[in-house]
């Protein structure tokens, strides 16, 4: 058992929290396939990311295909992640399901095999209201108190807009220490109402902007890009950390437009709402094109996307890979 | 094993297809409860409905709490339904899950215990597109060809608006014979593009209007009201059947406004969208208030609703019960 | 002055209520053009429709470009419509604006020149609530009591979903006699709550279905198709009228699939919501392609649409023209 | 004529751009009222704000009731604003209408009386697409080249989400120099794609956060709060300006939570979407409660709101007034 003695706290949330896909074997897009997971690739990626210096690893969210894995697959994947990490970095697994009891059941297993926490979204049949959403996280925390919780605040997937009153209340749950967060517009407000008991993880590209808002507190971000070659993610983290100390933001300001340009082709016309319809397919196309990790095909039923969307995503992956290459060559 | 020899066809879809809740024991709203289902009440309700004359029974959809049952509970409930019916009416169980493979796994079990078909919605993490939605039903039908499929066309729960091109394509899947349908505005169009291979089940209250549009084909409806006392549902079905033969619609036209009035308080201000946020809670409040079936509390996380919404729902239940009483007294 | 002595009532709402575009001269899509309207074409079309037998004419709604005409243009167009009709059929003009007082000002002018009523939508800056929407129609009716009102119930344009409580209340305004209506799913309910004080005009294609629901009351529809050649619209109206009398719906049932097929290419993938983004452009492309009326270009800012959407719309127009040709040849 | 010789540029956009309501006389909520505007109060407020030090004044947007003024009223109000300012600060008037030509007509008048620019939103009948939205601003700029444009980027009112490709294109229009902006999540990206040709005005409360992101460029904000007593707005502007120079953000960081707390009751449960349904009514209730300016009643049809929403808004107004009082007493 590699898990730490004590539950993680908000103080433990810093730097790059990498998210990885669940790599699939060649027939992973067939319903007939019983075990679709490429476990060797998971082990290789987790080890590679840790060696590169990421601060934590999360999975089984959206492009981690938490929704389309069987429980047997998810269980084995968790185990490979925990064993490979061997306590070197926190491992957060995804146990978002259709109800409270099933989430608790899965989370208890994650605890038993030594995971550190869960990236956890809401059941998504109804459009839930604030009291029920708060109660959900309270119930899970009460049932499995040993596990830290990173709230997965995705409004498209979970039909919930995660407003200020929600954050004010879940901040009182000691297990809730961080949040995979999408829109920094209310980052300041939500940090305030949660009394700094939750360190929100902004989008990788927004890390410098968030750090400028509060250099001491906004020290972490979630990274979907580390698994397309971790070098730039590490350099970005370190450049922002340095700038937060010195007050000289010239290096992050130099990197931002190049990162934004590479990412722009990931989003189809129609923006985030349209992207959300195909996010699994596009993220895996991006990762596959970059070449650092073999994400493989997507699992049923979320397997296809319009061809030109996939091309944009692939271009975004190769664009990022080029930035990494430039960085290694010293020309970025 | 009570299942019929042959798979049901569109010809077998007629009359009142009753939907039942999954009754809960007193502690059914606690996450700590391992088995929350009141199986005796299921057996009693299924038998009572069949004795009253309903034409089929479905469950484990929205207010059947398909989302919040554990697999163990769902499995046992299916068995009780199938055993109680003992082949008297078709039994359709709900196996909507987060992905294709899990749905197939559950549906195979339903087949093995003798269920006739499934009321089946879409995985709901992404907002799925038409090709992927069609492929989902094709995959399930290919994997478990013995089972009939009633598509569960709920746009709020499944983030999909079930447009004409979808119906044109799923009509080619022989297993797809019917559909739990909400909005009759496109009933004629959807029946046309599906070449009458699918008999859509309109809302109970819309049954006469649908039958007027096409008296020979539109012969069935889904009934959430049979389980608040089946008499009026049976009388409504028979009155419409008679009118479709004779062309004299005076009896259905007399019943409609009284039914509509009783139902109106079920919907909070904000209409169907607002209702959908609390549909489980409101439907169970309605059923509990009517008194024919003991639906019990709701399962986590969908347990609470604004107090005045619940009052409206209860009023709707007692209002319907009064209509039933009047009917039995001969004063309706 | 051609206007009737007395305000129209719900009894006067029957048959085909044709809607016409506001034809534009060649430079009508330029902001520099001061008067963009082809008044001769209006006179020709109004006369032609009346000669063909339509029951009323409405304009200045969505594809009538009520939003993008200048007040001077709209005023002159109203005058041409009223003068050409010369009392032969009711003329309903559009005075939807951004506020109550401007609508009243325009409606008073319409009254003064002899129009019979208005097809009137809601101010659309805010998403209005039910009490304010009811009050709007009350205020307009109080200010210009001589004019009949056809409520323009377009949920996309006006950000309002026109629920049952709205209809229950506006039914008490004597001026409100009809409604351009889109979704027949709640036609029965809305007719009931409005106590038959409002005769709803369903989509042309839904006319037979609505008439089947209530052959005596549902006797009218709004027609966007008369201006692509009025013959089929007249034949459709008459066939439904005959069927409503005899109970033999075979002729309408024969026409429906052919009409539905011709219309299907008008709607882009994405359905009604996507269509609404380009409805002016697509309707004018449809009308121009059919050739009966010269609708001309669209006015700024709603001038362009994706090329393949426009092609679908044009195909829909020529398809309808072919149905008309077949009808005249006796082969439909 | 007080207007400057030359059109304003992006360099001229700095500090607090105050937005004022259009004050109404006591009967301003009656449709019978022909001139509803309290012109003396406008003159008093404009003069008071300029004396207090605001950097520009805008009006006739949402709570400026641009939608519900008659053209005669709007014209006179523009004149009072321009005459009162007498060239001391830029005056931006609202000419958002239902189409391109009417906006041009109104803007030409604004130019002729000496206004400096316009806060301009999109026609709102259709949900416009990016090419048409860009074309709209191009046409207006071409027609009235002397006037500067502040794009009014309100996604709820105008049904448009103002994505990055839009900003990349309108940045090429020299007249477009600023933007009333709501969501800072994409402020960095939009500033980048517009190549710093547009200085976006974030929400007043977000001014410090935006300034931290880019202290040299993000130097301005729009202020709905100056008209509830301008002292705190001025102090906030100056504190952020000082912090941007020294790098010591302690004073803004001290003010933020108190400002956020006072504002929180302005927003009803349901957040920004629900607020947008009643924003005029709530903003005027807020301003009236604060007492610095007499906004008066709201004009038809947007006059009422749920009572507890109005109470929250009023509380927000008095809360802000208390902050102003504390500031003057030296205890903030």
């Amino acid at each position: 058992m590699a898990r730490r003695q004590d539950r993680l706290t908000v103080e433990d949330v810093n730097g790059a929290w990498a998210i990885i896909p669940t790599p699939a074997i060649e027939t992973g897009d067939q319903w007939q396939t019983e075990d679709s997971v490429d476990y060797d690739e998971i082990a290789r990626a987790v080890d590679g990311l840790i060696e590169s210096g990421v601060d934590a690893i999360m999975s089984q969210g959206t492009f981690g295909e938490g929704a389309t894995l069987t429980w047997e697959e998810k269980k084995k994947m968790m185990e490979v992640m925990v064993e490979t990490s061997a306590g070197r970095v926190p491992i957060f697994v995804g146990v978002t399901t259709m109800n409270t009891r099933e989430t608790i059941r899965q989370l208890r297993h994650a605890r038993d095999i030594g995971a550190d926490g869960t990236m956890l979204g809401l059941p998504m049949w109804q459009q839930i209201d604030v009291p029920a959403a708060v109660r959900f996280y309270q119930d899970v925390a009460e049932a499995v108190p040993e596990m830290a919780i990173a709230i997965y605040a995705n409004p498209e997937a979970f039909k919930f807009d995660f407003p200020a009153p929600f954050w004010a209340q879940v901040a009182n749950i000691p297990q809730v220490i961080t949040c995979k967060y999408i829109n920094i517009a209310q980052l300041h407000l939500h940090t305030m109402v949660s009394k700094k008991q939750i360190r929100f993880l902004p989008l990788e590209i927004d890390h410098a902007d968030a750090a400028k808002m509060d250099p001491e507190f906004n020290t972490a971000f979630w990274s979907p890009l580390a698994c397309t070659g971790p070098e730039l993610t590490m350099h970005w983290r370190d450049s922002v950390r340095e700038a937060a100390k010195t007050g000289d933001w010239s290096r992050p300001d130099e990197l931002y437009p190049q990162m934004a340009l590479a990412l722009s082709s990931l989003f189809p016309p129609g923006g985030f709402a349209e992207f959300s319809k195909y996010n699994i397919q596009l993220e895996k196309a991006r990762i596959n094109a970059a070449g650092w990790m073999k994400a493989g095909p997507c699992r049923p039923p979320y397997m296809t996307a319009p061809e030109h969307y996939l091309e944009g995503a692939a271009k975004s992956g190769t664009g990022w890979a080029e930035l990494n290459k430039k960085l290694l060559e010293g020309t970025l």
Side-chain angles (χ1 to χ4, degrees), chain A residues 205-221:
Chain A
I205 187 82
D206 289 336
H207 176 44
D209 286 332
K212 286 174 179 180
M213 286 190 205
D214 190 336
E216 282 171 35
F217 190 73
N218 293 342
T219 57
F221 61 96

mmCIF file with all atom_site columns, all heavy atoms in Angstrom, chain A residues 205-221:
data_model
loop_
_atom_site.group_PDB
_atom_site.id
_atom_site.type_symbol
_atom_site.label_atom_id
_atom_site.label_alt_id
_atom_site.label_comp_id
_atom_site.label_asym_id
_atom_site.label_entity_id
_atom_site.label_seq_id
_atom_site.pdbx_PDB_ins_code
_atom_site.Cartn_x
_atom_site.Cartn_y
_atom_site.Cartn_z
_atom_site.occupancy
_atom_site.B_iso_or_equiv
_atom_site.pdbx_formal_charge
_atom_site.auth_seq_id
_atom_site.auth_comp_id
_atom_site.auth_asym_id
_atom_site.auth_atom_id
_atom_site.pdbx_PDB_model_num
ATOM 1   N N   . ILE A 1 205 ? -3.679 26.849 -19.529 1.00 0.00 ? 205 ILE A N   1
ATOM 2   C CA  . ILE A 1 205 ? -3.384 28.105 -20.224 1.00 0.00 ? 205 ILE A CA  1
ATOM 3   C C   . ILE A 1 205 ? -3.682 29.325 -19.351 1.00 0.00 ? 205 ILE A C   1
ATOM 4   O O   . ILE A 1 205 ? -3.093 30.382 -19.516 1.00 0.00 ? 205 ILE A O   1
ATOM 5   C CB  . ILE A 1 205 ? -4.199 28.164 -21.549 1.00 0.00 ? 205 ILE A CB  1
ATOM 6   C CG1 . ILE A 1 205 ? -3.826 29.360 -22.405 1.00 0.00 ? 205 ILE A CG1 1
ATOM 7   C CG2 . ILE A 1 205 ? -5.684 28.198 -21.296 1.00 0.00 ? 205 ILE A CG2 1
ATOM 8   C CD1 . ILE A 1 205 ? -2.612 29.155 -23.241 1.00 0.00 ? 205 ILE A CD1 1
ATOM 9   N N   . ASP A 1 206 ? -4.604 29.170 -18.390 1.00 0.00 ? 206 ASP A N   1
ATOM 10  C CA  . ASP A 1 206 ? -4.964 30.290 -17.516 1.00 0.00 ? 206 ASP A CA  1
ATOM 11  C C   . ASP A 1 206 ? -4.109 30.364 -16.257 1.00 0.00 ? 206 ASP A C   1
ATOM 12  O O   . ASP A 1 206 ? -4.342 31.227 -15.401 1.00 0.00 ? 206 ASP A O   1
ATOM 13  C CB  . ASP A 1 206 ? -6.440 30.170 -17.085 1.00 0.00 ? 206 ASP A CB  1
ATOM 14  C CG  . ASP A 1 206 ? -7.408 30.440 -18.228 1.00 0.00 ? 206 ASP A CG  1
ATOM 15  O OD1 . ASP A 1 206 ? -7.024 31.140 -19.182 1.00 0.00 ? 206 ASP A OD1 1
ATOM 16  O OD2 . ASP A 1 206 ? -8.560 29.962 -18.152 1.00 0.00 ? 206 ASP A OD2 1
ATOM 17  N N   . HIS A 1 207 ? -3.135 29.487 -16.132 1.00 0.00 ? 207 HIS A N   1
ATOM 18  C CA  . HIS A 1 207 ? -2.375 29.407 -14.886 1.00 0.00 ? 207 HIS A CA  1
ATOM 19  C C   . HIS A 1 207 ? -1.697 30.741 -14.552 1.00 0.00 ? 207 HIS A C   1
ATOM 20  O O   . HIS A 1 207 ? -1.777 31.228 -13.412 1.00 0.00 ? 207 HIS A O   1
ATOM 21  C CB  . HIS A 1 207 ? -1.343 28.282 -14.995 1.00 0.00 ? 207 HIS A CB  1
ATOM 22  C CG  . HIS A 1 207 ? -0.428 28.164 -13.816 1.00 0.00 ? 207 HIS A CG  1
ATOM 23  N ND1 . HIS A 1 207 ? -0.874 28.244 -12.516 1.00 0.00 ? 207 HIS A ND1 1
ATOM 24  C CD2 . HIS A 1 207 ? 0.922  27.978 -13.742 1.00 0.00 ? 207 HIS A CD2 1
ATOM 25  C CE1 . HIS A 1 207 ? 0.168  28.098 -11.687 1.00 0.00 ? 207 HIS A CE1 1
ATOM 26  N NE2 . HIS A 1 207 ? 1.252  27.945 -12.405 1.00 0.00 ? 207 HIS A NE2 1
ATOM 27  N N   . ALA A 1 208 ? -1.065 31.365 -15.528 1.00 0.00 ? 208 ALA A N   1
ATOM 28  C CA  . ALA A 1 208 ? -0.369 32.626 -15.247 1.00 0.00 ? 208 ALA A CA  1
ATOM 29  C C   . ALA A 1 208 ? -1.366 33.717 -14.859 1.00 0.00 ? 208 ALA A C   1
ATOM 30  O O   . ALA A 1 208 ? -1.130 34.475 -13.906 1.00 0.00 ? 208 ALA A O   1
ATOM 31  C CB  . ALA A 1 208 ? 0.447  33.062 -16.461 1.00 0.00 ? 208 ALA A CB  1
ATOM 32  N N   . ASP A 1 209 ? -2.480 33.790 -15.569 1.00 0.00 ? 209 ASP A N   1
ATOM 33  C CA  . ASP A 1 209 ? -3.476 34.812 -15.228 1.00 0.00 ? 209 ASP A CA  1
ATOM 34  C C   . ASP A 1 209 ? -4.007 34.619 -13.810 1.00 0.00 ? 209 ASP A C   1
ATOM 35  O O   . ASP A 1 209 ? -4.187 35.579 -13.061 1.00 0.00 ? 209 ASP A O   1
ATOM 36  C CB  . ASP A 1 209 ? -4.636 34.781 -16.231 1.00 0.00 ? 209 ASP A CB  1
ATOM 37  C CG  . ASP A 1 209 ? -4.231 35.375 -17.580 1.00 0.00 ? 209 ASP A CG  1
ATOM 38  O OD1 . ASP A 1 209 ? -3.336 36.244 -17.599 1.00 0.00 ? 209 ASP A OD1 1
ATOM 39  O OD2 . ASP A 1 209 ? -4.801 34.978 -18.598 1.00 0.00 ? 209 ASP A OD2 1
ATOM 40  N N   . ALA A 1 210 ? -4.259 33.372 -13.452 1.00 0.00 ? 210 ALA A N   1
ATOM 41  C CA  . ALA A 1 210 ? -4.737 33.091 -12.095 1.00 0.00 ? 210 ALA A CA  1
ATOM 42  C C   . ALA A 1 210 ? -3.657 33.432 -11.070 1.00 0.00 ? 210 ALA A C   1
ATOM 43  O O   . ALA A 1 210 ? -3.952 34.012 -10.018 1.00 0.00 ? 210 ALA A O   1
ATOM 44  C CB  . ALA A 1 210 ? -5.136 31.620 -11.981 1.00 0.00 ? 210 ALA A CB  1
ATOM 45  N N   . ALA A 1 211 ? -2.419 33.104 -11.381 1.00 0.00 ? 211 ALA A N   1
ATOM 46  C CA  . ALA A 1 211 ? -1.323 33.388 -10.451 1.00 0.00 ? 211 ALA A CA  1
ATOM 47  C C   . ALA A 1 211 ? -1.124 34.896 -10.283 1.00 0.00 ? 211 ALA A C   1
ATOM 48  O O   . ALA A 1 211 ? -0.800 35.378 -9.196  1.00 0.00 ? 211 ALA A O   1
ATOM 49  C CB  . ALA A 1 211 ? -0.041 32.732 -10.943 1.00 0.00 ? 211 ALA A CB  1
ATOM 50  N N   . LYS A 1 212 ? -1.331 35.647 -11.359 1.00 0.00 ? 212 LYS A N   1
ATOM 51  C CA  . LYS A 1 212 ? -1.228 37.101 -11.230 1.00 0.00 ? 212 LYS A CA  1
ATOM 52  C C   . LYS A 1 212 ? -2.292 37.653 -10.277 1.00 0.00 ? 212 LYS A C   1
ATOM 53  O O   . LYS A 1 212 ? -2.046 38.584 -9.529  1.00 0.00 ? 212 LYS A O   1
ATOM 54  C CB  . LYS A 1 212 ? -1.390 37.757 -12.603 1.00 0.00 ? 212 LYS A CB  1
ATOM 55  C CG  . LYS A 1 212 ? -0.178 37.586 -13.513 1.00 0.00 ? 212 LYS A CG  1
ATOM 56  C CD  . LYS A 1 212 ? -0.478 38.143 -14.903 1.00 0.00 ? 212 LYS A CD  1
ATOM 57  C CE  . LYS A 1 212 ? 0.721  38.008 -15.839 1.00 0.00 ? 212 LYS A CE  1
ATOM 58  N NZ  . LYS A 1 212 ? 0.393  38.552 -17.184 1.00 0.00 ? 212 LYS A NZ  1
ATOM 59  N N   . MET A 1 213 ? -3.481 37.060 -10.306 1.00 0.00 ? 213 MET A N   1
ATOM 60  C CA  . MET A 1 213 ? -4.558 37.522 -9.425  1.00 0.00 ? 213 MET A CA  1
ATOM 61  C C   . MET A 1 213 ? -4.192 37.340 -7.959  1.00 0.00 ? 213 MET A C   1
ATOM 62  O O   . MET A 1 213 ? -4.519 38.165 -7.122  1.00 0.00 ? 213 MET A O   1
ATOM 63  C CB  . MET A 1 213 ? -5.839 36.718 -9.690  1.00 0.00 ? 213 MET A CB  1
ATOM 64  C CG  . MET A 1 213 ? -6.546 37.058 -10.970 1.00 0.00 ? 213 MET A CG  1
ATOM 65  S SD  . MET A 1 213 ? -8.160 36.229 -10.940 1.00 0.00 ? 213 MET A SD  1
ATOM 66  C CE  . MET A 1 213 ? -8.465 36.105 -12.690 1.00 0.00 ? 213 MET A CE  1
ATOM 67  N N   . ASP A 1 214 ? -3.557 36.198 -7.642  1.00 0.00 ? 214 ASP A N   1
ATOM 68  C CA  . ASP A 1 214 ? -3.177 35.923 -6.260  1.00 0.00 ? 214 ASP A CA  1
ATOM 69  C C   . ASP A 1 214 ? -1.962 35.005 -6.272  1.00 0.00 ? 214 ASP A C   1
ATOM 70  O O   . ASP A 1 214 ? -2.087 33.789 -6.216  1.00 0.00 ? 214 ASP A O   1
ATOM 71  C CB  . ASP A 1 214 ? -4.361 35.267 -5.520  1.00 0.00 ? 214 ASP A CB  1
ATOM 72  C CG  . ASP A 1 214 ? -4.108 35.190 -4.027  1.00 0.00 ? 214 ASP A CG  1
ATOM 73  O OD1 . ASP A 1 214 ? -2.923 35.190 -3.618  1.00 0.00 ? 214 ASP A OD1 1
ATOM 74  O OD2 . ASP A 1 214 ? -5.081 35.117 -3.256  1.00 0.00 ? 214 ASP A OD2 1
ATOM 75  N N   . PRO A 1 215 ? -0.778 35.598 -6.362  1.00 0.00 ? 215 PRO A N   1
ATOM 76  C CA  . PRO A 1 215 ? 0.451  34.804 -6.543  1.00 0.00 ? 215 PRO A CA  1
ATOM 77  C C   . PRO A 1 215 ? 0.713  33.820 -5.411  1.00 0.00 ? 215 PRO A C   1
ATOM 78  O O   . PRO A 1 215 ? 1.326  32.787 -5.639  1.00 0.00 ? 215 PRO A O   1
ATOM 79  C CB  . PRO A 1 215 ? 1.557  35.869 -6.595  1.00 0.00 ? 215 PRO A CB  1
ATOM 80  C CG  . PRO A 1 215 ? 0.866  37.163 -6.899  1.00 0.00 ? 215 PRO A CG  1
ATOM 81  C CD  . PRO A 1 215 ? -0.496 37.047 -6.322  1.00 0.00 ? 215 PRO A CD  1
ATOM 82  N N   . GLU A 1 216 ? 0.231  34.135 -4.233  1.00 0.00 ? 216 GLU A N   1
ATOM 83  C CA  . GLU A 1 216 ? 0.507  33.229 -3.121  1.00 0.00 ? 216 GLU A CA  1
ATOM 84  C C   . GLU A 1 216 ? -0.449 32.051 -3.065  1.00 0.00 ? 216 GLU A C   1
ATOM 85  O O   . GLU A 1 216 ? -0.066 30.954 -2.691  1.00 0.00 ? 216 GLU A O   1
ATOM 86  C CB  . GLU A 1 216 ? 0.470  33.995 -1.793  1.00 0.00 ? 216 GLU A CB  1
ATOM 87  C CG  . GLU A 1 216 ? 1.748  34.777 -1.584  1.00 0.00 ? 216 GLU A CG  1
ATOM 88  C CD  . GLU A 1 216 ? 1.656  35.713 -0.395  1.00 0.00 ? 216 GLU A CD  1
ATOM 89  O OE1 . GLU A 1 216 ? 0.984  35.335 0.590   1.00 0.00 ? 216 GLU A OE1 1
ATOM 90  O OE2 . GLU A 1 216 ? 2.231  36.813 -0.464  1.00 0.00 ? 216 GLU A OE2 1
ATOM 91  N N   . PHE A 1 217 ? -1.696 32.303 -3.447  1.00 0.00 ? 217 PHE A N   1
ATOM 92  C CA  . PHE A 1 217 ? -2.666 31.209 -3.297  1.00 0.00 ? 217 PHE A CA  1
ATOM 93  C C   . PHE A 1 217 ? -2.884 30.415 -4.578  1.00 0.00 ? 217 PHE A C   1
ATOM 94  O O   . PHE A 1 217 ? -3.038 29.199 -4.531  1.00 0.00 ? 217 PHE A O   1
ATOM 95  C CB  . PHE A 1 217 ? -4.009 31.758 -2.784  1.00 0.00 ? 217 PHE A CB  1
ATOM 96  C CG  . PHE A 1 217 ? -4.949 30.660 -2.385  1.00 0.00 ? 217 PHE A CG  1
ATOM 97  C CD1 . PHE A 1 217 ? -4.725 29.943 -1.211  1.00 0.00 ? 217 PHE A CD1 1
ATOM 98  C CD2 . PHE A 1 217 ? -6.031 30.314 -3.173  1.00 0.00 ? 217 PHE A CD2 1
ATOM 99  C CE1 . PHE A 1 217 ? -5.572 28.903 -0.842  1.00 0.00 ? 217 PHE A CE1 1
ATOM 100 C CE2 . PHE A 1 217 ? -6.883 29.277 -2.812  1.00 0.00 ? 217 PHE A CE2 1
ATOM 101 C CZ  . PHE A 1 217 ? -6.656 28.576 -1.641  1.00 0.00 ? 217 PHE A CZ  1
ATOM 102 N N   . ASN A 1 218 ? -2.902 31.092 -5.704  1.00 0.00 ? 218 ASN A N   1
ATOM 103 C CA  . ASN A 1 218 ? -3.206 30.385 -6.956  1.00 0.00 ? 218 ASN A CA  1
ATOM 104 C C   . ASN A 1 218 ? -1.954 29.746 -7.545  1.00 0.00 ? 218 ASN A C   1
ATOM 105 O O   . ASN A 1 218 ? -1.388 30.223 -8.511  1.00 0.00 ? 218 ASN A O   1
ATOM 106 C CB  . ASN A 1 218 ? -3.850 31.355 -7.953  1.00 0.00 ? 218 ASN A CB  1
ATOM 107 C CG  . ASN A 1 218 ? -5.217 31.812 -7.502  1.00 0.00 ? 218 ASN A CG  1
ATOM 108 O OD1 . ASN A 1 218 ? -5.834 31.186 -6.635  1.00 0.00 ? 218 ASN A OD1 1
ATOM 109 N ND2 . ASN A 1 218 ? -5.705 32.905 -8.059  1.00 0.00 ? 218 ASN A ND2 1
ATOM 110 N N   . THR A 1 219 ? -1.552 28.645 -6.961  1.00 0.00 ? 219 THR A N   1
ATOM 111 C CA  . THR A 1 219 ? -0.256 28.044 -7.270  1.00 0.00 ? 219 THR A CA  1
ATOM 112 C C   . THR A 1 219 ? -0.357 26.734 -8.044  1.00 0.00 ? 219 THR A C   1
ATOM 113 O O   . THR A 1 219 ? 0.649  26.081 -8.273  1.00 0.00 ? 219 THR A O   1
ATOM 114 C CB  . THR A 1 219 ? 0.487  27.748 -5.949  1.00 0.00 ? 219 THR A CB  1
ATOM 115 O OG1 . THR A 1 219 ? -0.366 26.893 -5.164  1.00 0.00 ? 219 THR A OG1 1
ATOM 116 C CG2 . THR A 1 219 ? 0.791  29.025 -5.196  1.00 0.00 ? 219 THR A CG2 1
ATOM 117 N N   . ALA A 1 220 ? -1.561 26.375 -8.437  1.00 0.00 ? 220 ALA A N   1
ATOM 118 C CA  . ALA A 1 220 ? -1.721 25.056 -9.068  1.00 0.00 ? 220 ALA A CA  1
ATOM 119 C C   . ALA A 1 220 ? -2.649 25.155 -10.272 1.00 0.00 ? 220 ALA A C   1
ATOM 120 O O   . ALA A 1 220 ? -3.411 26.102 -10.408 1.00 0.00 ? 220 ALA A O   1
ATOM 121 C CB  . ALA A 1 220 ? -2.289 24.064 -8.055  1.00 0.00 ? 220 ALA A CB  1
ATOM 122 N N   . PHE A 1 221 ? -2.569 24.179 -11.133 1.00 0.00 ? 221 PHE A N   1
ATOM 123 C CA  . PHE A 1 221 ? -3.449 24.126 -12.311 1.00 0.00 ? 221 PHE A CA  1
ATOM 124 C C   . PHE A 1 221 ? -3.619 22.676 -12.724 1.00 0.00 ? 221 PHE A C   1
ATOM 125 O O   . PHE A 1 221 ? -2.852 21.814 -12.302 1.00 0.00 ? 221 PHE A O   1
ATOM 126 C CB  . PHE A 1 221 ? -2.869 24.955 -13.463 1.00 0.00 ? 221 PHE A CB  1
ATOM 127 C CG  . PHE A 1 221 ? -1.519 24.478 -13.957 1.00 0.00 ? 221 PHE A CG  1
ATOM 128 C CD1 . PHE A 1 221 ? -1.421 23.635 -15.068 1.00 0.00 ? 221 PHE A CD1 1
ATOM 129 C CD2 . PHE A 1 221 ? -0.345 24.857 -13.315 1.00 0.00 ? 221 PHE A CD2 1
ATOM 130 C CE1 . PHE A 1 221 ? -0.183 23.183 -15.515 1.00 0.00 ? 221 PHE A CE1 1
ATOM 131 C CE2 . PHE A 1 221 ? 0.903  24.410 -13.764 1.00 0.00 ? 221 PHE A CE2 1
ATOM 132 C CZ  . PHE A 1 221 ? 0.988  23.583 -14.858 1.00 0.00 ? 221 PHE A CZ  1
#
